Structures are given as structure tokens and as C-alpha cells.
Amino acid sequence: MQTRSSRWAGVASTAFVLLAGIAICRSEARPRPSGALPSASSDVAIDADDIGGVVTSSNGAEAGVWVIAETADLGTKFREIVITNDRGQYLLPDLPKANYKVWVRGYGLVDSTPVNAAPGQELALAAVVAGTPRAAAEYYPASYWVSLLNVPSKSAFPMALSGSPSAVIPTQADWLYAVKNCWGCHELGNKPTREIPASLGTFKTSGEAWERLISSGQLGSHMTRLLNSLGHEQGPVLFGDWLDRIAAGELPPTPPRPQGIDRNVVATVWDWSVRASFLHAVISTDRRNPSVNANGPVYGDDWFAGALAAVDPVANTASMIRIPLPNEEDRQRLPSWAPQTQIHPSVYFGDELVWNAPLNPGSLAMDGRGRVWLNVQNRVDLPGYCKSGSNNSYAKYSPRESGGKGVDVYDPKTHKFEFLDLCVTAERLVFADDKDQTLYMAIKEGGLAWINTRVWDESHDSEKSQGWCPPVIDYNHDSRIGAYTTAPEPLDPKLDRAIASPGGDGVAYSPVDGSVWYTALNPRPGKLIRMVKGANPPSTCNAEVYELPYDPKGPGMGGSHPRGIDIGTDGVVWAPLAGEGVLARFDRRQCKAVTGEALTTGRRCREGWTFYPIPGPPFKNQPDVKADFPFSMWLDRFNSLGLGRNIPIVDGADSDSLLAFIPDTKRWVRLQVPYPMGFSSHFFDARIDDPKTGWKGRGLWAANETTGSQLTEGGKNMPSQLAHFRIRPDPLAK
């Protein structure tokens, strides 16, 4: 296995070097950069801060390929990426003054030789046609390579697991949940995951080589557990077969080049954070008012660095803001999420332990004052008012004895942090548009928590400012949540009923009725939970559950695991189903009245669901299951990107892209970062910097949030990247 994969890598590399050296030479009247083509016939109007021209190859004009300009002259590494039109023309607009390397990347090509250029210059570029299909495939998104995996059909389940006679995987949905957990941390199918480095040694089988690869480094034990969840023998066989077929020459399907609106995308990309980073969330504005923080810094929290990363997009600088603790002595007592031992040395860092920060900052939200709210491990022990025996009304109803993360507030104007203690472990954050400026959170164990930020600003009292409720259905219809059961069937019709619903990776506030929704991953099929806290919580908290339709044996999609969630100004709920690669739409207004046990199982309102497969390849033997991974989503309520209002956007976490869905036309628009490859975004938002400047003043912000940025093209010392996507009227608009 090792010898074959190394040989293929060498062949691809040799083809790249030979083909990239091809130059087309012509005489011209005026000087031009070495390696560039004459640009007299480009017909592209160039301003003093633009670079533009035409891209041609031996096949003629190259349409739908990327032109990349990169510089290290600014405060951080900067790139601008555009796409050619039908005539092969391109325009890189509004470039900061700097010296750039400019080259062409595209499907069917290998990278052209970078050309030195500066703003104000016409530049014709020579694209290089790939000499072999294998050389071309080196630039395909990871999802295309991973689509070659052999996914078991629904009829193969329940599946007994090797190494544990009593363990089974019940359905294909559960199998997809297990295998696609890998996609949730980093791209699977990119070059570092489909080739075994020679440094690991020689192995009898490709399965053994795969086990050794994933067990390397600080997260090796975590990845090994994920592999074993597919069966101690079945997991290595699955991935070993995949590696063998790739090494023998099997290639993925060819991706289509960008078409239509996709060609109008301008992607500006900055390096930020640190090497081996794990950006966990991104925020640029208050999602209730996307003009907040206009032209200001964009923030991300790095799980491993224990810090906020920031980019100033006007000055083109990047910085890190260390997250303090209310008691710095606790820093040594807090456990690190990343193990401080390794099964085997890291492929990239050897015996060096690169991750030891214990704060684990998670979700981010921005308020109307531009302050950044983040959930973070900011203390060791739970406050006493969280626990049994406390007089706190929430603790009396639902005490919390351990766990919990806090919430910090960072004010960019003062550069100071404030610290709130929480009684729950909050996974995601979202602001409500109410008089209390309530910050809602999905609880990891299930249920809803909140912070009354008005009370916090007035009192700075953590206990007075927060509340929480477990997910309980008012099953007996007495208009209050009292004693409840967790039994599979209500043993007493006088009791209310709690929902088994561990919180997932999404929480959303409805601007229509003030309800708060979150996703529940387990048990599958997945569920959407709707909660209202009422006028006198916790007694007035109430929950509803809506299970995703799923036939474990029959055809069709749905039911695997919803992660992100968002709600439009019409009250319609959207959620990506990560297992199948589907965007789900749920309209509660379509539900018929249902009573009895259907209330507690959630198996109701099938009429409220609609499903839309995301773009990209399916697995080769499962046409209903997409290989890409829509980890999360965000809904553009205010036309902040320029595609319209109430536009759902999901991340193609395994395809270097974000995917915007236009409900009126059922069309998808892809926003892609083709360089550096490995861009895997999870959380994002859009901001309106200046509505008077049209497309230039609107844009979506996202980051490379792969768990360990060394897996990005560039390798060991690569940091994360922040991307700003704007959509212009046409590929040559200034």
C-alpha cells in the first residue's frame, strides 16, 4: 500500500512539474511579466487597483477556471480569487497595493506557473491542460474522492460489529452518522487522508496502514474510537479497500466547472490564527441587524489556542486575543480537550504536543453594541446555586451537579472580558429580538438555557441573569410543566413527558413567534425540538418534538442527523441532514392536529417536510446519499449576500465550499475556496458594510475550521483562513 500510494503521488507531482513549465511565447510591443501572454485582445477594462485579462490554454479560452492572486506584502497573507467568463476573461477588483503572484487553477488543468504582477496591470495567463486524468484529479474537492467509498445499502442493516458479538449498527442512518463523524472534524478524501506517508513504514494491508495513519498524533485515540464504532475489523477493511482502489488508479467523477452565478463570486482570503489551529466559530455582525460592526474586525475562536482570532479587513491585518480566566489559577486545573499523550507520533509534529489549551471556546454571537459573546470553559466547579438543595427555582426543578461551561463577553471598545457562570453546558448561541435581548443556548444534554443580557448588564449577577429548562411536553395539558416521566410510555396520564433529545449543533430563534428550536442527533432518526419558556419559567416551559421521516429499509432520504438549524422571517425552519447530504425544510403551519403518543414520539406532521439534495457527487453505490457533509447552516434573512431574503446557506464541509439555496428557483449557488485546498467551514454569517455600494458592500464571512489546519494545502505550518465572499453582477464587474 505504501509503495503504491507514494508512486502515484510521484507520478502526479512529475506531471505537474512538466506541464506547469509549458509556456506560450509571442512577441509584443510592450514589456510583460515573465510567463504571461500578451493581453491586447482581452477587452477587459482595468482600473489602477485591478488586475485583469484573459486565460487561454492549448484548447483556447478557458471558461469557468479560477485566477488566484496572492501576496505576503500585507499584514497577513492575502489572496483574491475570481472565475473566468465564457471568453476566458477575468477581473481581480480592488486589490490592495502589493506585489502579487498570479496563476490559474481549474478542473481539467494543473496549476500554471505563478506570474509576478501588480494592480493596474493587464495580464494574459497561460493555463496548463492536465496531461492525464490522474493529474487533473489532484485538484478535485475531497468529496469527489471520498465518493468512492463503498457505503452499505439499507438492506445490509442491522449490521453486527466484529469484536463485539452483541453490538450492532441498527440502520444505514446510524452507519452514516458513525462514518461521517470524520467529516465533522476535517475533510476526508483530501490528499493527506487518501495517501499513506512513507514515514509511517510498510504494512501488510492497506487497512493496517489506515489504522496507523489515523492513530497518529494527539487525537489518534479519538479517531481510533470512531473507526472502531464501524467494527474493529469492518472499519479498516472499508478504508483499506478505498485506499487500494485509489492506488490502483480508480478516479472520482469529474466536477463541473463553475457556471452562471457561481462565476460572479469574488473570494478574498486572509490567513489568521496559528498553525495547527481549530477555528470553532466565526462572527462578523449582529444577525438581527447585519449593519452592526460595518467594516469592522471579524472574529473567530480557536478551540486549541484558547484565544479569539481577528482580521481587520480594511487594514488587512490579523491578530490574536488571549481569552483570560476570572481566576487564572484555574488554568492549570482545567483539563485539556486534546489528550496530552499520543499512541503514535504525529505525521506533522512528531513527538511535539501542539495542543494544550483547556478553555475550548465554542459558539459565538454578537450583540447590537458589537460585543462578542462566547461559550467557554471559564471555571472549574459549578456554582452552588446550580445544584440540589439550592433555592434557585431552576435548580429545584432541574438541578445540575456537574459539567457546565461559562459565557464570556468581549468588548472590542474596551478590550476587556466579562465572565458569566453557567449551570449548563451550552452548545450554540443565538440572540432573540426581545426587550431583554435574551441570549438562548441549546443544552448539550437536551433542553434550553438563556441569559437575560439586560439583567446581566444591570447587575452582573450570573444567577439572576440565567435560566434553563429540560425538554418536557405538557402531555396532560394543564398549561404547566410539573412532575414528568422519562419512561418510554407515560405510566400516568397525569404526568408530563420528557424528551430524550441531546442537543445537537444548532439552535435558532423564530422572529415570528419567539419560539426557540434546536436539533437533536440521538437517538436516530434525528429530531427538531421546539421550545417556549413562557411567562413564568420553569413551570411554563413547554416543548414540542418533530421527528424526521425515515424508512430504515425503504427508499428515500431524511432521518440521519440534522446539525445546523435556522428560521426565516416566515417562520419556516431549515436544517441540513449531514448523513444523506440533504437540506430539509419544515413548515409547522402545515401540521394537522395530533394528540396522544404521537406528541411524545414526534412521529407526526409528515406533511410539513420537504427535502432538497445538495450539489455534488453521491457515493458511487448509493445514489440517494451525497458524499459531502453539510455540517451546519445560516439563513440570510436580510439579503446581506445579495441573493435575496430568507436564503438558506449550508456548508459543503468536504468540498471547500458554501452552498446557497434559492427557494424560488430551487437553484444552488456554490461559494468556493479552491486555494488553499482543505477549506472546511462550519459556521458563518453575512454583513452589510455599505448598502450604497451595491455588491461591494455586502458579503458572507466564513473560516477554515478544520480540526488541525496542517491538513490544509501547504502542510505543517499552515494557519486557518478567513474568507469573504461577494457576488457581483457579472465576472468582470468592478
Side-chain angles (χ1 to χ4, degrees), residues 21-32:
I22 297 175
I24 303 175
C25 300
R26 299 178 184 172
S27 61
E28 61 177 351
R30 66 181 189 179
R32 65 179 185 269

Side-chain angles (χ1 to χ4, degrees), residues 403-703:
K405 294 180 76 169
V407 169
D408 288 1
V409 189
Y410 172 69
D411 189 340
K413 294 178 182 178
T414 63
H415 306 290
K416 293 181 179 179
F417 284 83
E418 297 174 349
F419 312 97
L420 290 87
D421 288 326
L422 278 187
C423 294
V424 301
T425 300
E427 286 296 304
R428 304 296 172 216
L429 310 174
V430 65
F431 272 106
D433 193 10
D434 60 18
K435 65 181 179 64
D436 292 323
Q437 300 293 287
T438 307
L439 182 65
Y440 285 104
M441 296 158 279
I443 301 174
K444 186 174 182 180
E445 299 83 9
L448 186 66
W450 59 88
I451 295 170
N452 184 321
T453 67
R454 177 185 58 80
V455 171
W456 168 256
D457 286 333
E458 292 172 354
S459 68
H460 282 75
D461 187 313
S462 294
E463 182 178 6
K464 290 181 179 179
S465 303
Q466 71 177 295
W468 67 93
C469 287
V472 177
I473 295 172
D474 183 15
Y475 191 75
N476 59 18
H477 304 292
D478 63 356
S479 299
R480 64 181 300 274
I481 304 301
Y484 61 87
T485 178
T486 58
E489 299 290 339
L491 303 179
D492 186 335
K494 297 180 181 180
L495 294 177
D496 292 320
R497 174 74 182 277
I499 307 166
S501 62
D505 279 285
V507 62
Y509 171 78
S510 171
V512 175
D513 60 13
S515 60
V516 182
W517 296 62
Y518 69 88
T519 57
L521 302 181
N522 297 306
R524 277 167 294 283
K527 301 171 180 65
L528 304 184
I529 310 298
R530 177 183 184 270
M531 292 191 68
V532 293
K533 62 176 179 159
N536 188 32
S539 65
T540 55
C541 284
N542 195 5
E544 297 173 3
V545 56
Y546 298 93
E547 185 175 282
L548 280 150
Y550 181 68
D551 184 346
K553 291 295 185 181
M557 57 191 69
S560 181
H561 45 299
R563 300 194 72 104
I565 188 173
D566 213 340
I567 305 172
T569 56
D570 54 3
V572 172
V573 180
W574 297 83
L577 308 183
E580 289 87 348
V582 173
L583 176 62
R585 178 186 187 273
F586 181 71
D587 190 345
R588 182 172 173 266
R589 297 170 298 183
Q590 303 300 315
C591 296
K592 301 173 184 177
V594 178
T595 59
E597 192 60 19
L599 290 175
T600 58
T601 62
R603 298 187 186 100
R604 55 174 174 158
C605 198
R606 297 298 195 260
E607 61 274 13
W609 295 94
T610 311
F611 301 105
Y612 305 97
I614 67 172
F619 288 104
K620 62 177 293 183
N621 61 339
Q622 292 295 311
D624 285 339
V625 182
K626 294 287 189 171
D628 207 351
F629 187 73
F631 181 96
S632 189
M633 73 165 295
W634 174 84
L635 193 135
D636 187 355
R637 296 177 182 169
F638 302 108
N639 193 27
S640 306
L641 182 57
L643 291 174
R645 291 179 177 268
N646 290 326
I647 301 297
I649 303 171
V650 302
D651 54 336
D654 210 51
S655 62
D656 308 317
S657 59
L658 299 172
L659 307 166
F661 181 68
I662 303 177
D664 290 345
T665 62
K666 308 298 187 292
R667 172 181 168 76
W668 290 90
V669 177
R670 184 182 293 275
L671 312 166
Q672 192 166 356
V673 176
Y675 170 79
M677 288 186 289
F679 189 90
S680 182
S681 180
H682 291 166
F683 302 102
F684 38 91
D685 71 356
R687 186 172 73 190
I688 301 175
D689 290 320
D690 187 350
K692 298 178 181 179
T693 59
W695 69 270
K696 291 187 178 183
R698 299 171 183 268
L700 185 143
W701 299 89

Side-chain angles (χ1 to χ4, degrees), residues 169-442:
I169 299 178
T171 68
Q172 187 191 69
D174 292 275
W175 189 93
L176 288 168
Y177 176 80
V179 73
K180 282 200 171 184
N181 262 320
C182 299
W183 283 247
C185 289
H186 57 78
E187 288 190 348
L188 187 65
N190 60 5
K191 199 174 185 69
T193 63
R194 67 176 186 261
E195 296 180 357
I196 304 298
S199 61
L200 292 188
T202 303
F203 305 90
K204 294 180 180 179
T205 67
S206 300
E208 290 182 6
W210 177 260
E211 284 189 275
R212 174 63 175 83
L213 175 66
I214 67 168
S215 63
S216 304
Q218 283 182 258
L219 300 185
S221 58
H222 173 67
M223 290 192 288
T224 298
R225 285 194 300 272
L226 289 179
L227 182 66
N228 288 338
S229 69
L230 297 171
H232 182 70
E233 295 177 3
Q234 288 110 312
V237 168
L238 171 75
F239 289 104
D241 168 72
W242 177 62
L243 293 174
D244 280 341
R245 287 185 285 111
I246 290 174
E250 186 171 345
L251 297 177
T254 302
R257 287 186 178 182
Q259 300 285 338
I261 299 175
D262 297 14
R263 294 185 181 177
N264 301 345
V265 175
V266 178
T268 306
V269 183
W270 296 263
D271 277 1
W272 70 338
S273 199
V274 295
R275 70 166 187 163
S277 63
F278 179 18
L279 258 292
H280 210 65
V282 174
I283 199 71
S284 71
T285 189
D286 181 349
R287 66 158 304 159
R288 302 163 299 179
N289 178 7
S291 63
V292 169
N293 192 40
N295 295 303
V298 180
Y299 299 95
D301 52 357
D302 195 313
W303 183 276
F304 286 149
L308 290 175
V311 159
D312 183 331
V314 177
N316 295 301
T317 57
S319 60
M320 295 293 286
I321 304 165
R322 183 177 183 268
I323 299 173
L325 287 170
N327 180 3
E328 281 297 330
E329 293 181 358
D330 285 346
R331 195 175 293 270
Q332 302 303 317
R333 299 172 59 201
L334 290 168
S336 172
W337 182 79
Q340 296 303 291
T341 59
Q342 300 184 148
I343 301 173
H344 299 292
S346 165
V347 171
Y348 297 90
F349 307 109
D351 292 325
E352 179 187 359
L353 299 177
V354 293
W355 302 318
N356 59 10
L359 274 64
N360 310 141
S363 186
L364 296 175
M366 184 176 286
D367 64 20
R369 295 161 55 182
R371 296 180 299 179
V372 179
W373 297 67
L374 61 152
N375 64 339
V376 63
Q377 190 72 44
N378 61 13
R379 44 96 179 98
V380 175
D381 300 316
L382 278 182
Y385 58 77
C386 303
K387 302 178 180 181
S388 299
S390 166
N391 287 325
N392 183 290
S393 61
Y394 300 101
K396 286 181 178 179
Y397 184 68
S398 178
R400 305 288 163 147
E401 304 300 330
S402 61
K405 294 180 76 169
V407 169
D408 288 1
V409 189
Y410 172 69
D411 189 340
K413 294 178 182 178
T414 63
H415 306 290
K416 293 181 179 179
F417 284 83
E418 297 174 349
F419 312 97
L420 290 87
D421 288 326
L422 278 187
C423 294
V424 301
T425 300
E427 286 296 304
R428 304 296 172 216
L429 310 174
V430 65
F431 272 106
D433 193 10
D434 60 18
K435 65 181 179 64
D436 292 323
Q437 300 293 287
T438 307
L439 182 65
Y440 285 104
M441 296 158 279

